[in-house]
Amino acid sequence: MIHFPAQRRGPLSALSLRLLAALGLVFLVVGAVWIGRDGYRDVNEDGLTLLDCFYYAVVSLSTTGYGDITPASQSARLTNVLLITPARVIFLIILVGTTLEVLTEQYRTGRRLSRWRRTVKDHVIICGYGTKGRSAVTALLENGLDKSRIVVVERNGAALRQATSAGLVAIEGSATRSTVLEEAHVRTAKAVIIATDSDDASVLVALTVRQLTAGQVRIIAAVREAENAPLLRQSGAHHVIVSSATAGRLLGLSTSAPPLIDVVEDLLTPGQGMALAMRSAERHEVGKSPRELESLVIALVRRGKVVTLADRAGAVVETGDMLVHVRDDRPTASTAPTSSPRA
């Protein structure tokens, strides 16, 4: 099942408001009839009880009108003309409006689904919306990817609601099933990020994606244990990130070289100061040493492979190279207002 981003006010909220309005009209009519009950005539000629007032209000607003209770006095008839008849019209509008709201919502959802299926392409599929999945989505959005090009696959109901509340399209189901990945249009996706809770599930997801896409879609996976990384690569993952090993290295650095932790956090946290970025080499930079460039280049990406500056091949920038550099990611400071000169 495909879940679209949550609306500001759902149909259940709209129906609840209409129900409260209808009940309010019923109680308003009951109060008016009860106050002027002496002006109404009952076929039993025993006067109107409170239950009779509720009965008359319901049959009048629903336009049933059995005629066993009728307004006899002038004041009762005036109340019927000025209050009960308009209330009847409003009550019918609420009922018809509720029906139209339900039908319109179903039609709108169907239109959104068909339009999404026609236009979804070059998107990123996030398998798992836990801590790793949410962090991956945040990084994608910070790098300029539009929310409409992110699809979350998750079987946990609470995580699904979080994804739709964040404005993402979410598909309910296990990413290990080919039918669920087909719903996410995995064949036309740009990349698949596997952020499941277990390494076993990650391997199954990678195998399923590779089978469906014939290896044409980039697969990035995260694993807990380093010994499972080779298995994931054999399953079709192009990049494997070992979360436990990375966390362990950071813990070790925090003891032996604490300042390095601050540098790593600065590089990975947007808006803090430094940030890793990648751009294409410009024409005037070709043929120069990366160390001579204005940007602080730390590596080159040449024909899909990373070339470090320590390598002989990384001594000169070539045409088509991508430059991995450190950029200034601090927010632009607003210009402070200048004080008026003293007289």
Side-chain angles (χ1 to χ4, degrees):
M1 180 181 295
I2 300 177
H3 299 261
F4 288 102
Q7 304 290 333
R8 291 186 177 180
R9 192 179 72 172
L12 184 60
S13 176
L15 293 177
S16 300
L17 291 177
R18 288 189 172 92
L19 179 60
L20 290 176
L23 290 175
L25 283 176
V26 171
F27 282 106
L28 178 63
V29 173
V30 169
V33 174
W34 176 254
I35 293 174
R37 60 186 178 278
D38 294 335
Y40 288 84
R41 183 176 59 193
D42 189 4
V43 292
N44 297 327
E45 299 294 342
D46 55 357
L48 266 66
T49 63
L50 184 60
L51 180 60
D52 292 332
C53 294
F54 270 100
Y55 167 76
Y56 176 75
V58 171
V59 297
S60 297
L61 292 178
S62 62
T63 69
T64 304
Y66 293 111
D68 48 352
I69 299 176
T70 57
S73 66
Q74 295 295 326
S75 60
R77 291 174 179 175
L78 184 62
T79 301
N80 194 281
V81 171
L82 298 179
L83 177 64
I84 297 179
T85 299
R88 182 186 300 118
V89 175
I90 296 175
F91 190 82
L92 291 177
I93 291 175
I94 292 175
L95 292 180
V96 174
T98 301
T99 304
L100 291 177
E101 177 72 20
V102 173
L103 296 177
T104 303
E105 184 63 28
Q106 292 178 352
Y107 174 74
R108 188 183 298 116
T109 302
R111 286 289 303 273
R112 292 181 68 189
L113 180 59
S114 61
R115 183 171 62 251
W116 178 82
R117 283 174 171 167
R118 290 195 309 268
T119 58
V120 61
K121 187 179 180 181
D122 292 332
H123 55 293
V124 178
I125 300 175
I126 309 293
C127 300
Y129 198 67
T131 303
K132 292 180 290 187
R134 290 193 297 270
S135 300
V137 169
T138 302
L140 290 172
L141 296 177
E142 289 167 353
N143 287 325
L145 187 67
D146 191 79
K147 284 185 178 181
S148 61
R149 295 181 58 192
I150 299 177
V151 178
V152 173
V153 177
E154 177 60 69
R155 58 182 177 182
N156 182 270
L160 279 172
R161 289 189 292 272
Q162 290 179 0
T164 54
S165 298
L168 305 173
V169 175
I171 298 179
E172 184 176 1
S174 174
T176 59
R177 299 179 58 185
S178 58
T179 54
V180 176
L181 292 175
E182 291 283 6
E183 282 286 338
H185 288 243
V186 67
R187 300 180 192 273
T188 59
K190 178 181 179 181
V192 176
I193 296 178
I194 304 175
T196 58
D197 294 331
S198 66
D199 292 354
D200 297 340
S202 298
V203 172
L204 289 176
V205 173
L207 286 171
T208 306
V209 173
R210 187 182 69 173
Q211 180 184 14
L212 293 175
T213 63
Q216 299 300 313
V217 176
R218 182 167 296 277
I219 303 173
I220 303 99
V223 292
R224 295 177 179 270
E225 302 298 333
E227 60 185 13
N228 295 325
L231 182 60
L232 254 173
R233 292 189 180 93
Q234 294 175 5
S235 301
H238 297 84
H239 300 282
V240 179
I241 300 172
V242 183
S243 57
S244 59
T246 303
R249 292 190 189 97
L250 293 177
L251 290 173
L253 287 175
S254 64
T255 302
S256 59
L260 290 180
I261 294 296
D262 297 331
V263 175
V264 174
E265 289 183 350
D266 195 350
L267 289 172
L268 298 179
T269 305
Q272 292 293 327
M274 299 183 296
L276 288 175
M278 189 169 65
R279 63 176 178 84
S280 301
E282 299 179 3
R283 181 176 300 179
H284 69 275
E285 296 174 333
V286 175
K288 295 182 180 180
S289 171
R291 295 184 173 88
E292 297 176 356
L293 303 182
E294 183 178 354
S295 302
L296 180 58
V297 179
I298 60 176
L300 305 176
V301 179
R302 182 172 298 160
R303 291 182 287 276
K305 295 183 179 180
V306 177
V307 179
T308 64
L309 302 188
D311 296 335
R312 180 178 300 177
V316 176
V317 178
E318 297 182 0
T319 303
D321 284 352
M322 300 292 293
L323 307 182
V324 181
H325 64 101
V326 178
R327 71 181 182 193
D328 187 358
D329 201 38
R330 292 173 296 182
T332 304
S334 57
T335 305
T338 56
S339 58
S340 57
R342 296 182 179 179

